[in-house]
Amino acid sequence: MATLADADLTFASRPHPAPTSVEARAAVLANPGFGTRFTDHMVTIEWTEPRGWHDAVIGPRLPIALDPAAAVLHYAQEIFEGLKAYVQTDGSIALFRPEANAARFNQSARRLAMPELPEALFIEAVTRLVQTDRAWIPSGEGSSLYLRPFMIATEAFLGVRPAKQYKFIVIASPAGNYFKSGAPAVSIWVSDYTRAAPGGTGAAKCGGNYAASLVPQAEAIARGHDQVVFLDAAEHKWIEELGGMNLYFAFEDGTLLTPALTGTILPGITRDSLLTLAREEGLKVVEGRYSLEQWREDAASGKLVETFACGTAAVVTPVGKVAGRDGEFTIGGGGPGQLTQKLKNRLVAIQRGDTPDTHGWISKIG
Ligand SMILES: *Cc1c(COP(=O)(O)O)cnc(C)c1O
């Protein structure tokens, strides 16, 4: 790959001295679960002022040493990404829209006052890790290698200002089918908490947003639901998104609506891909506003036929039931809807290489 990154910076390669045995790896890949098992290697790249990015290494995955005063531990200067590498049906290895993750990573970096990483370097780091640990990519249906690039402020300094030292890391985790036997419809709880306010960090993929969503999510679970849905902060009326997934609403008349990116919603790459696929399906796709009140009314009248959530981890997840302080309602038959399944199948077919990639979304890396 001829990249800007190659010109500026070469990756040192330090193979793991004692990698996981073939048998132990096979046992992990037979039942990978999600987010608990990791591959043998990781990428690290350092940033300091005034040197910029340097010391790119692909080496053994190990704990990292941090000064107890490291800024990330106190003021949460941290951002991350999530993307997947797939074994395609023809046996090749592909990433799905990694340039979009690289671009979003830099949007998040700007919001958190962190240095931007050249997009080519982001992609090279991810690619090298997948190529090094390619034996860790599970190949079963719905499985993939989940990649987690992230950046933390490592400078030891307790004053409040952007740090002058950062570390970019990529780790990888084999991931099974998020939902074992197809996606069951989930039940969601409308939270009284808000996830993101106008002018805040809702559109940035930062750990802090997730920290703030844990109590609302725990409340949803305690009430017997699977996920939490957040309304807007100003009026507590408009539907925004789940803790980590965007939402879509499908209507009887062929309209498909998703909340517009107002600055308080995370611009999901799955969301964006589905906008394109839904238009190709001939649906009237709208990015707009939708209120909780209208949602309830339309579900009751039958005008709203399906609702689904989407994101890299679980791809597309049907929403069957919604509950909040004012009672609960069911969407359609309460189970997975036809359009939800159709859009999911189309997206997965592209990711798997079962259908031609007419959008340039697939990056073959091996
Ligand atoms: C990552 C994320 C999403 C989904 O984005 P994808 O790019 O589709 O994975 C949605 N909402 C939040 C809050 C997120 O962090």
Side-chain angles (χ1 to χ4, degrees), residues 174-247:
N177 205 340
Y178 210 79
F179 297 107
K180 277 270 175 298
S181 53
V186 295
S187 161
I188 62 183
W189 170 253
V190 183
S191 189
D192 291 332
Y193 290 96
T194 46
R195 191 191 83 91
T201 57
K205 213 166 171 74
C206 62
N209 288 343
Y210 278 77
S213 76
L214 298 177
V215 161
Q217 174 63 28
E219 187 181 67
I221 303 281
R223 288 176 178 274
H225 303 284
D226 304 298
Q227 289 283 338
V228 62
V229 59
F230 292 102
L231 302 179
D232 77 291
E235 295 180 72
H236 211 69
K237 170 175 183 170
W238 308 103
I239 301 155
E240 298 217 312
E241 61 171 315
L242 307 190
M245 294 177 102
N246 297 115
L247 278 173

Side-chain angles (χ1 to χ4, degrees), residues 3-363:
T3 62
L4 171 69
D6 287 334
D8 293 342
L9 186 127
T10 49
F11 275 75
S13 183
R14 300 194 195 123
H16 200 297
T20 308
S21 71
V22 173
E23 298 74 32
R25 187 175 63 224
V28 170
L29 294 184
N31 191 10
F34 187 84
T36 57
R37 310 306 295 261
F38 301 93
T39 67
D40 286 327
H41 295 88
M42 68 179 185
V43 167
T44 56
I45 313 178
E46 309 293 333
W47 188 94
T48 51
E49 200 180 277
R51 271 186 81 183
W53 293 106
H54 62 276
D55 281 358
V57 178
I58 176 149
R61 182 182 176 278
L62 289 171
I64 49 178
L66 280 182
D67 189 287
V72 63
L73 303 177
H74 303 276
Y75 309 123
Q77 234 191 330
E78 188 267 359
I79 57 169
F80 67 96
E81 270 303 323
L83 69 165
K84 287 173 167 177
Y86 304 85
V87 177
Q88 297 211 301
T89 306
D90 67 3
S92 63
I93 294 167
L95 298 172
F96 183 72
R97 304 188 68 183
E99 325 73 36
N101 294 95
R104 187 173 65 189
F105 193 66
N106 283 338
Q107 283 167 26
S108 301
R110 287 194 290 274
R111 182 62 184 85
L112 276 283
M114 299 170 90
E116 293 182 42
L117 183 74
E119 288 183 20
L121 191 50
F122 178 101
I123 292 172
E124 184 174 355
V126 165
T127 300
R128 279 179 188 263
L129 182 59
V130 174
Q131 287 170 344
T132 302
D133 284 334
R134 68 177 290 157
W136 285 92
I137 313 178
S139 55
E141 196 199 320
S143 54
S144 59
L145 187 64
Y146 183 79
L147 303 163
R148 171 53 59 87
F150 63 105
M151 193 201 316
I152 53 174
T154 52
E155 186 192 359
F157 177 63
L158 294 181
V160 180
R161 59 145 170 80
K164 294 181 177 172
Q165 194 180 317
Y166 297 87
K167 198 187 270 287
F168 170 74
I169 305 178
V170 191
I171 54 174
S173 174
N177 205 340
Y178 210 79
F179 297 107
K180 277 270 175 298
S181 53
V186 295
S187 161
I188 62 183
W189 170 253
V190 183
S191 189
D192 291 332
Y193 290 96
T194 46
R195 191 191 83 91
T201 57
K205 213 166 171 74
C206 62
N209 288 343
Y210 278 77
S213 76
L214 298 177
V215 161
Q217 174 63 28
E219 187 181 67
I221 303 281
R223 288 176 178 274
H225 303 284
D226 304 298
Q227 289 283 338
V228 62
V229 59
F230 292 102
L231 302 179
D232 77 291
E235 295 180 72
H236 211 69
K237 170 175 183 170
W238 308 103
I239 301 155
E240 298 217 312
E241 61 171 315
L242 307 190
M245 294 177 102
N246 297 115
L247 278 173
Y248 269 96
F249 304 91
F251 299 88
E252 194 188 35
D253 69 356
T255 303
L256 185 68
L257 182 146
T258 189
L261 302 177
T262 53
T264 53
I265 292 175
L266 198 287
I269 295 162
T270 315
R271 173 190 179 280
D272 184 72
S273 307
L274 291 170
L275 280 177
T276 299
L277 297 181
R279 285 195 181 110
E280 289 171 4
E281 288 292 324
L283 293 161
K284 183 169 174 280
V285 185
V286 183
E287 292 177 85
R289 297 207 291 189
Y290 198 49
S291 69
L292 173 62
E293 211 178 308
Q294 195 70 45
W295 193 10
R296 179 185 291 112
E297 211 175 294
D298 292 346
S301 72
K303 196 175 155 204
L304 175 89
V305 286
E306 297 178 39
T307 299
F308 61 86
C310 64
T312 297
V315 194
V316 172
T317 303
V319 174
K321 200 165 78 177
V322 183
R325 302 254 170 236
D326 306 328
E328 63 178 60
F329 57 96
T330 301
I331 296 160
Q338 275 178 12
L339 178 68
T340 301
Q341 196 55 50
K342 185 176 184 177
L343 288 173
K344 178 177 183 172
N345 290 348
R346 279 215 52 195
L347 184 57
V348 169
I350 295 170
Q351 291 170 337
R352 285 270 152 209
D354 291 337
T355 201
D357 169 32
T358 54
H359 310 93
W361 287 345
I362 293 298
S363 266

